[in-house]
Amino acid sequence: MHVVITGAGRGIGKALAERYRTAGHRVTGTARDGSADLVLDVTDPAGHRAMAAALAGDPVDLLICNAGIYPDKGQRLEDGYPPAMWADAFAVNVTGTFLAVQALLPNLRAARGKIALISSQMASDQRAPGGSYIYRASKAAVLNLGRNLSTDLRAEGIAVGIYHPGWVQTDMGGAAAEITVDEAADGLVARFDALDLADSGCFRTWDGREHAY
């Protein structure tokens, strides 16, 4: 199995790559800083074209769109959330996800592969305690993107799942988070393995619970 993972240089993406390699699968990981197999700034269309060229004719069984940022921690409603921060977050979290899917569609079609999008429970309108407006809005857009992709790609046999990875002890989640990177990665691998067309469009947590949209 050939697995492509964006944002594979650290955190959950790195842990996922390690698990798939240990299981004997081929992994192509991307990272903006060159800490993975391919250098890819997911905001750069030219980078996606270069990735597509590098993998041309190479079937992809699983694409995991993991790259993401959470820039608006601690921002104040009164004077925070500047426009440039909105633009940066949507460029990485939403546009970057779409461009990765678009670039690798021929590879996914060749394998009748699967797509896993990492969103967040913060995308759900059932969890709206306020704050983190940029991150919440961007991850809600990822959830919407995944639902629509699942509709468009169903006839081609490509399943799409959207996942909350848990509140994880990473640079993004912080030391006080609820679960370790290893727990998140183990749970997500199990979710991706179980993903099929009957499940396409699902929004699930790392440990298999259905999440409200």
Side-chain angles (χ1 to χ4, degrees):
M1 183 168 74
H2 183 195
V3 184
V4 176
I5 308 171
T6 66
R10 60 180 182 170
I12 296 171
K14 182 178 180 180
L16 288 169
E18 290 169 349
R19 274 154 180 75
Y20 283 112
R21 286 194 175 104
T22 298
H25 301 300
R26 179 182 165 210
V27 175
T28 302
T30 78
R32 181 170 47 188
D33 61 3
S35 57
D37 306 290
L38 290 178
V39 177
L40 175 66
D41 177 347
V42 296
T43 69
D44 179 14
H48 288 278
R49 289 193 294 271
M51 176 177 66
L55 298 178
D58 193 350
V60 171
D61 300 280
L62 175 62
L63 169 62
I64 304 171
C65 294
N66 168 72
I69 60 173
Y70 184 174
D72 55 324
K73 289 182 182 178
Q75 291 287 302
R76 286 164 35 95
L77 179 59
E78 293 79 7
D79 55 13
Y81 305 99
M85 188 178 287
W86 284 90
D88 289 344
F90 271 75
V92 174
N93 296 352
V94 187
T95 309
T97 293
F98 179 80
L99 290 176
V101 172
Q102 189 176 54
L104 295 180
L105 263 180
N107 313 74
L108 289 159
R109 284 169 169 156
R112 292 176 71 91
K114 300 190 280 192
I115 300 169
L117 306 185
I118 302 301
S119 181
S120 169
Q121 66 182 6
M122 294 170 73
S124 172
D125 62 11
Q126 301 298 306
R127 296 181 63 94
S132 299
Y133 295 103
I134 295 174
Y135 185 73
R136 292 180 190 281
S138 70
K139 287 301 187 180
V142 172
L143 174 56
N144 184 274
L145 176 64
R147 294 281 286 174
N148 282 281
L149 283 170
S150 72
T151 297
D152 283 341
L153 296 175
R154 180 178 295 277
E156 298 187 63
I158 297 173
V160 182
I162 308 102
Y163 301 94
H164 166 57
W167 183 20
V168 188
Q169 295 162 12
T170 60
D171 290 344
M172 182 183 292
E178 295 173 343
I179 63 172
T180 66
V181 171
D182 287 337
E183 288 174 303
D186 287 341
L188 289 170
V189 167
R191 303 288 79 73
F192 304 160
D193 286 349
L195 176 63
D196 59 20
L197 281 177
D199 210 30
S200 194
C202 65
F203 184 28
R204 291 228 168 86
T205 63
W206 63 280
D207 54 355
R209 288 172 291 132
E210 298 286 341
H211 205 299
Y213 293 99

